[in-house]
Amino acid sequence: MAEELKIGVVSCSGEDCLGGTISRLATRKMLDEVRPDKTVTICLPLFLAGGQEERMFAKTFPTIAVDGCNKACAKRATEKYSGKVNGTILVSDIIGDTVSESAALSTRDVTAEHQTMVDKVAAEITKQFDAILNANSKNQAGSTATSCGCSCSGGCG
Amino acid sequence: MSINEKVKVIPCSGMGKVFGLMAREAALRTVGQLCPDKAETMCLAYVVTGDAEAEAGIDGKPCITIDGCPKMCSAKSVAIIGGDIKEEFKVLDIMKEHKGAQPGTATELTTDGWTIVDKIAATLHERVQQIHGEGR
Ligand code: SF4
């Protein structure tokens, strides 16, 4: 039986602005609530501070980078040290540049308004997440079909 | 360091562990509330990209790192980019003084967790004041 696919969601660290905080919280929401059995993550700085095992992350798992602002640190650092990402989310595109650039937030001070932002970002991550899962299961089906030796792309049998 | 230079307080990103979240919360409290005139933070993920601008912000600058786990991502990354690390804090070590405390999860802290965070932030604050004093 094929191993169950897990997808990596890697958030920027985002200490400097609200967009970064939202990025982290949305990533945590994927891990805790939305797709807890299928989501994996890694602390982004481990790509640099860790070893070969950590650098295999984006090669082992299809990975979505979630970034608080357009410096896109999660995407750039992942691609520099680990491997190409399969999806990208820019929080500032979803909640707006001005809001995103406001001060970083303590989880002590999260309001209902912030929670709405987190939910919106998590919804976008979920869209990309499910698209990657679907594409992957089609690929798996496709490769099974190919083994039948015809050109049906999995439609026969 | 110049009198006006702020000390960089840089937590690990700690996405997966409660101690990482504690590192971040302590840093945010220090630079946002306790001594915003003497300390600031920088996104560790930005440091990790190795951008020239990130390097310029860290290289030779007084830094305090605060790490959640023994992998020491913040201390290692800041050192690689040339930060002048004045102190490396480890939440794991601090937790040894709080045996039995239940700080919460990587998503949310408990009352225990916040109490320890506030203690760590007070220590960070004190160290920032000292480093600033040394620079005069
Ligand atoms: S993408 Fe922006 S918010 Fe996130 S770590 Fe980089 S600079 Fe900070």
Side-chain angles (χ1 to χ4, degrees):
Chain A
M1 201 175 98
E3 226 175 88
E4 206 193 349
L5 181 72
K6 296 206 187 248
I7 294 185
V9 181
V10 177
S11 171
C12 75
S13 65
E15 283 83 34
D16 238 357
C17 65
L18 180 65
T21 310
I22 301 295
S23 159
R24 296 171 58 92
L25 290 172
T27 300
R28 289 297 325 168
K29 190 175 164 94
M30 295 302 295
L31 288 154
D32 292 341
E33 294 170 36
V34 182
R35 298 284 182 269
D37 301 331
K38 287 190 161 43
T39 310
V40 285
T41 194
I42 186 170
C43 295
L44 178 84
L46 256 182
F47 289 141
L48 178 62
Q52 195 48 36
E53 198 188 320
E54 282 85 12
R55 286 187 202 120
M56 286 304 290
F57 187 88
K59 292 184 187 81
T60 310
F61 305 105
T63 294
I64 300 170
V66 187
D67 275 304
C69 79
N70 61 15
K71 281 189 180 142
C73 301
K75 175 179 188 284
R76 291 189 303 123
T78 305
E79 295 203 329
K80 182 171 174 180
Y81 298 105
S82 185
K84 200 125 190 72
V85 300
N86 299 64
T88 54
I89 300 280
L90 203 52
V91 171
S92 50
D93 281 351
I94 299 168
I95 66 172
D97 286 340
T98 315
V99 180
S100 176
E101 280 162 22
S102 57
L105 183 80
S106 165
T107 51
R108 227 183 306 225
D109 301 324
V110 171
T111 63
E113 202 184 338
H114 298 126
Q115 198 49 58
T116 306
M117 295 177 200
V118 172
D119 294 346
K120 268 192 196 165
V121 173
E124 285 303 316
I125 302 173
T126 309
K127 257 191 222 163
Q128 293 198 16
F129 195 105
D130 290 345
I132 294 169
L133 270 185
N134 285 339
N136 201 275
S137 55
K138 271 187 198 142
N139 277 348
Q140 276 186 354
S143 58
T144 313
T146 311
S147 68
C148 75
C150 76
S151 56
C152 66
S153 302
C156 74
Chain B
M1 69 184 274
S2 81
I3 288 175
N4 295 325
E5 191 163 20
K6 290 185 178 181
V7 178
K8 297 263 186 315
V9 179
I10 305 187
C12 71
S13 76
M15 276 307 295
K17 298 179 187 74
V18 61
F19 296 161
L21 176 60
M22 292 168 80
R24 172 184 163 90
E25 290 291 352
L28 289 181
R29 176 152 174 81
T30 307
V31 306
Q33 282 156 22
L34 300 182
C35 48
D37 49 333
K38 292 189 175 71
E40 63 190 359
T41 192
M42 191 181 202
C43 296
L44 183 59
Y46 189 39
V47 172
V48 168
T49 62
D51 262 20
E53 199 188 304
E55 193 172 333
I58 292 280
D59 192 18
K61 305 278 164 50
C63 299
I64 297 175
T65 60
I66 171 154
D67 277 299
C69 85
K71 303 230 174 178
M72 301 295 287
C73 292
S74 177
K76 284 185 193 163
S77 308
V78 169
I80 288 169
I81 206 166
D84 175 11
I85 300 179
K86 302 284 188 190
E87 182 101 35
E88 294 176 3
F89 282 100
K90 303 180 187 96
V91 176
L92 204 58
D93 286 351
I94 297 163
M95 288 307 291
K96 288 179 189 151
E97 298 159 25
H98 300 273
K99 290 221 164 72
Q102 301 291 326
T105 67
T107 305
E108 218 172 356
L109 299 183
T110 59
T111 308
D112 267 3
W114 285 118
T115 306
I116 301 167
V117 161
D118 289 345
K119 243 183 116 178
I120 299 171
T123 310
L124 288 169
H125 178 208
E126 208 175 296
R127 193 65 186 101
V128 167
Q129 302 284 6
Q130 282 168 3
I131 295 167
H132 235 263
E134 288 160 14
R136 280 173 202 277

